[in-house]
Amino acid sequence: MTRVAVDADLCTGHGRCYSLAPEVFDADDVGHCVVLVEDVSGELEEQAAIGEKNCPEHAITLLR
C-alpha cells in the first residue's frame, strides 16, 4: 500500500491532480489539492501516481 501526501505550502491550485485522478484528489475552497484517499493500492495507486507526475510544483508525494 502507498500513502499519498500533499505539501500544502507548495500547492498553488493548478488542478491537474484532481482533474486526472478525481477518486484520489479533490479541491478545497480556493482550488488547492486535498487528498481524498490517503492509503492507496491498485487502480487508485496508479491514479495517484498520475497526479504526482503531473503536479508542476511537485507538491504530491507517494510514500511507498
Side-chain angles (χ1 to χ4, degrees):
M1 190 157 304
T2 299
R3 180 165 285 262
V4 181
V6 174
D7 185 333
D9 292 331
L10 292 178
C11 179
T12 60
H14 283 275
R16 293 178 185 172
C17 55
Y18 48 84
S19 294
L20 295 169
E23 293 180 41
V24 179
F25 304 105
D26 200 0
D28 65 10
D29 292 340
V30 293
H32 293 154
C33 180
V34 176
V35 178
L36 298 175
V37 184
E38 290 184 3
D39 295 314
V40 294
S41 62
E43 184 179 325
L44 291 182
E45 184 175 4
E46 292 173 18
Q47 287 186 32
I50 290 170
E52 177 191 38
K53 290 175 187 170
N54 284 279
C55 178
E57 282 80 28
H58 305 287
I60 299 170
T61 303
L62 301 184
L63 309 166
R64 294 181 171 101

